[in-house]
Amino acid sequence: MNYKELLMNFELMDDWEDKYQYLIDLGKQLPVMPEELKIDANIVKGCMSRVWLDIQSNQDALSIRADSDAHIVRGLIAILLILFNNKTKSEILNINIDEVFLEIGLNEHLSPNRRNGFLAMIDRIKNY
Amino acid sequence: MMANEKITIDNGFDVERIRADFPILSKKIRGKDLVWLDSASSAQKPLSVIEDMDKVYREFYANVHRGVYKFSQETTILVESSRATVAKFLNSNSDKEIIFTRNATEAINLVASSWGNKFLKSGDEVIISSLEHHANIVPWHFLRENLGIEIKVIPLLENGDLDMDAYKSMLSDKVKMVACTQMSNAIGTIVDVKEIISLAKEHGAKTLIDGSQAVVHLDVDVSDLDCDFYVFTGHKLYGPSGVGVLYGKFDILNSMPPYQGGGEMIETVAFDKITYKEAPYRFEAGTPAIVEIIGLKSAIEYMNGFCKKDIREHEDYLLNLAITEMAKIDGVNIIANPSNRAGLVSFTIDNIHPHDIATIFDQMGIAVRAGQHCAEPLLNLLGVKATVRASFGIYNNKQDVDALITAIHKTIKIFG
């Protein structure tokens, strides 16, 4: 799925319940990260939930794997991977993540009070 | 519903009238009625607090203890009258035993830093409990790092009570301080601090009680408790953020060096010699949170309009109703079952992360706290990574509990 398709899917949702149901489903489809990658060095710690992040440089592109113990965060990760995965660093830096999340109506998940590791994960990718 | 009406009639506690005192409660969240179940984190404010603070800024704001002009007199009188209100609220012997801080955290840091650095040495022991908020762990940890003191922890019983037998066996003449919460912010356990204090005294240890949660739900009497220090914060007590209280016995306070240096806390200053004021001013360097201190007075006056027993009865009714209804739902786990609990309940739902639960609740206009509640060691002991905490205050009603139960059902359905 590319971003356009994702955005179209979100635009079909009438209310928050459908939207969250879809976000949770996206999370459920996210491949589970192998246990051997869920090491301390890969933890992006949040107060409420945890995120594991593994980045490999594949020629110019970044190959990103991530996981969380929270379903909704997994959904957010799935969206982020649609945007970021296998892109070059400069392509990633060119994506305005705030605009994207505003467009799909999930911008509040980028607010600093969430402390769910998701924001820190974005930072870590951008600074890789 | 019937039971609620009965209680309302029985003790004259009219929650709908109380709700009308809190302007924020009529706010809509995402088009839905706000259900505020996070008072243990920070409580909402009654109109009287908001208006009294507003009035200071509009009509007579000035710095305190400095100007000779009228406004400074007025603010100073109100700040000092707030001190008297707090002293009376805690049943302290004297206004001089009340120090205004930024919050409870700063109050504990003040004691640990000032009293701890003066009176503790390597090998001395400080006892804390398994129920502590990080604010009553980390300041003592600083002393462990800097002075080499030891921290001993009162263990937890399986139901979430403290193990008092273990506590008794931990006491010795090496123990110089027992610092304990009166009510757990994470699981609601009420601690018999009177017993804790009296046992500590037998061994000559000083005592500090963290009353941040307890002052909201219980009658607190520091003279009866006979503790050396008692701390609480304003914003959980329906008062403003930015103001907290340290109560300390006057002689002990006066034996302690200042915590911070600056204006207001000094008697005389020469470049080669400085003498300090007595308590409480010794510990109030710099311009205090003038308007917040005045707001705290209003909040306590608001609370003084009720009988704590009636508040507790009302909150217990809601809490027990919530727990009873939650226990009926498959997959919901109530965390801990303390023999005496007030104001709040922590829970988890099988296979749904607390963060997910709180996110869905938020969509429904329900504010709860999810996470470790700044009590990571306690959650580790309880064997949970995180919980959802619903906490009840003076203004919560049965509809709030109904909304909570409905939200739990809906959350289970969405993630199912």
Side-chain angles (χ1 to χ4, degrees):
Chain A
M1 185 163 39
N2 61 31
Y3 176 60
K4 265 196 181 141
E5 291 163 336
L6 180 81
L7 183 61
M8 270 169 56
N9 288 344
F10 269 108
E11 278 172 348
L12 290 174
M13 312 293 168
D14 298 333
D15 60 14
W16 73 267
E17 279 184 71
D18 290 346
K19 197 162 77 181
Y20 274 85
Q21 195 72 66
Y22 181 55
L23 184 61
I24 291 159
D25 287 343
L26 284 172
K28 284 182 178 164
Q29 289 159 28
L30 183 75
V32 174
M33 198 181 212
E35 282 303 313
E36 60 264 28
L37 285 177
K38 287 187 176 175
I39 51 172
D40 281 356
N42 285 341
I43 284 186
V44 186
K45 212 171 176 235
C47 173
M48 292 182 174
S49 58
R50 285 191 294 179
V51 168
W52 291 270
L53 175 65
D54 174 68
I55 310 173
Q56 300 293 331
S57 215
N58 190 357
Q59 287 163 339
D60 281 343
L62 297 185
S63 164
I64 304 167
R65 278 186 288 188
D67 205 343
S68 172
D69 51 359
H71 293 296
I72 288 171
V73 178
R74 281 176 66 85
L76 297 171
I77 290 170
I79 294 172
L80 200 70
L81 293 191
I82 290 170
L83 297 164
F84 281 5
N85 202 12
N86 299 319
K87 299 270 167 60
T88 66
K89 185 78 188 289
S90 68
E91 284 173 323
I92 288 173
L93 289 175
N94 272 329
I95 296 169
N96 186 333
I97 198 82
D98 291 314
E99 228 164 66
V100 169
F101 273 76
L102 190 64
E103 215 166 14
I104 54 181
L106 291 170
N107 48 310
E108 61 197 38
H109 290 281
L110 296 179
S111 83
N113 73 320
R114 295 269 162 179
R115 296 207 291 176
N116 54 16
F118 184 61
L119 265 188
M121 170 186 168
I122 296 172
D123 273 353
R124 209 187 263 195
I125 296 171
K126 288 190 163 174
N127 291 315
Y128 181 75
Chain B
M1 192 64 204
M2 284 308 290
N4 190 25
E5 279 166 2
K6 190 163 183 294
I7 283 173
T8 303
I9 293 159
D10 277 351
N11 63 13
F13 190 91
D14 183 349
V15 69
E16 294 313 315
R17 258 181 69 189
I18 291 167
R19 287 180 73 81
D21 293 337
F22 291 79
I24 212 167
L25 295 180
S26 56
K27 280 270 170 198
K28 299 271 183 197
I29 301 295
R30 303 171 204 285
K32 298 169 185 88
D33 290 336
L34 168 66
V35 178
W36 187 257
L37 295 177
D38 201 20
S39 298
S41 176
S42 205
Q44 299 299 348
K45 321 303 173 198
L47 192 60
S48 58
V49 170
I50 300 166
E51 284 182 344
D52 286 353
M53 292 175 71
D54 184 73
K55 191 176 171 194
V56 180
Y57 281 127
R58 285 178 189 278
E59 298 181 18
F60 53 88
Y61 176 81
N63 209 335
V64 290
H65 301 130
R66 284 163 181 80
V68 294
Y69 43 82
K70 181 93 172 73
F71 284 1
S72 183
Q73 287 170 28
E74 286 186 57
T75 48
T76 303
I77 286 169
L78 276 177
V79 162
E80 290 311 311
S81 133
S82 178
R83 200 186 301 279
T85 303
V86 172
K88 203 165 170 229
F89 178 67
L90 295 178
N91 196 28
S92 145
N93 291 322
S94 159
D95 301 0
K96 293 179 180 173
E97 299 184 316
I98 304 301
I99 295 159
F100 289 119
T101 60
R102 279 190 302 139
N103 44 40
T105 297
E106 189 180 53
I108 299 173
N109 274 278
L110 192 164
V111 174
S113 173
S114 170
W115 178 88
N117 276 304
K118 178 161 180 191
F119 293 104
L120 295 181
K121 57 181 192 314
S122 176
D124 284 346
E125 294 177 2
V126 169
I127 292 182
I128 60 174
S129 89
S130 298
L131 294 169
E132 300 315 315
H133 186 283
H134 294 167
N136 199 23
I137 302 174
V138 185
W140 306 112
H141 169 73
F142 289 166
L143 294 177
R144 177 164 60 190
E145 289 206 314
N146 296 337
L147 301 177
I149 65 154
E150 288 195 37
I151 298 175
K152 297 275 169 78
V153 183
I154 307 172
L156 198 68
L157 296 173
E158 210 168 303
N159 71 343
D161 285 347
L162 289 182
D163 185 340
M164 293 298 281
D165 288 335
Y167 170 57
K168 284 173 200 159
S169 69
M170 289 160 71
L171 285 164
S172 76
D173 295 346
K174 280 161 88 182
V175 178
K176 304 295 181 214
M177 165 65 81
V178 177
C180 184
T181 185
Q182 193 172 6
M183 174 182 159
S184 159
N185 71 305
I187 57 173
T189 308
I190 302 277
V191 177
D192 182 359
V193 287
K194 196 167 177 184
E195 174 79 355
I196 299 246
I197 293 161
S198 116
L199 288 164
K201 287 205 173 304
E202 287 176 15
H203 293 269
K206 297 279 181 283
T207 51
L208 178 147
I209 303 302
D210 177 0
S212 299
Q213 299 292 336
V215 285
V216 185
H217 306 283
L218 313 175
D219 269 320
V220 173
D221 182 335
V222 292
S223 299
D224 177 56
L225 288 175
D226 200 21
C227 53
D228 298 297
F229 301 101
Y230 192 97
V231 307
F232 73 91
T233 191
H235 70 96
K236 294 185 203 292
L237 191 65
Y238 310 100
S241 59
V243 59
V245 167
L246 167 64
Y247 157 83
K249 284 186 177 163
F250 187 65
D251 290 346
I252 299 175
L253 289 175
N254 269 336
S255 72
M256 290 160 49
Y259 174 54
Q260 292 176 328
E264 186 56 35
M265 46 78 71
I266 36 80
E267 192 78 49
T268 61
V269 177
F271 285 117
D272 56 351
K273 189 171 189 296
I274 294 171
T275 55
Y276 308 118
K277 281 188 179 161
E278 280 195 334
Y281 303 112
R282 177 182 297 179
F283 301 101
E284 293 181 355
T287 296
I290 300 164
V291 179
E292 288 74 13
I293 290 171
I294 295 170
L296 176 62
K297 170 182 156 71
S298 310
I300 291 174
E301 282 167 353
Y302 180 79
M303 290 300 280
N304 286 343
F306 303 94
C307 173
K308 276 268 177 70
K309 189 175 146 284
D310 293 345
I311 298 175
R312 179 85 195 273
E313 209 170 274
H314 171 71
E315 290 169 347
D316 278 356
Y317 162 72
L318 297 177
L319 183 63
N320 292 331
L321 182 66
I323 292 173
T324 308
E325 291 303 313
M326 282 158 73
K328 290 180 191 162
I329 306 173
D330 258 0
V332 173
N333 315 295
I334 311 281
I335 305 302
N337 183 26
S339 51
N340 191 3
R341 179 209 298 260
L344 60 91
V345 56
S346 253
F347 64 96
T348 59
I349 304 178
D350 289 346
N351 304 317
I352 312 177
H353 194 283
H355 177 258
D356 289 332
I357 299 168
T359 305
I360 296 302
F361 279 19
D362 173 49
Q363 292 296 320
M364 301 175 72
I366 302 173
V368 290
R369 175 95 183 262
Q372 299 175 329
H373 318 294
C374 298
E376 200 175 335
L378 172 63
L379 265 68
N380 287 337
L381 286 172
L382 293 164
V384 283
K385 284 204 180 72
T387 75
V388 178
R389 180 189 69 188
S391 53
F392 299 91
I394 189 168
Y395 39 57
N396 288 112
N397 59 12
K398 184 174 177 292
Q399 285 91 313
D400 293 338
V401 177
D402 294 343
L404 171 68
I405 301 302
T406 305
I408 292 174
H409 283 293
K410 190 159 217 163
T411 304
I412 291 173
K413 192 171 145 249
I414 287 176
F415 287 96

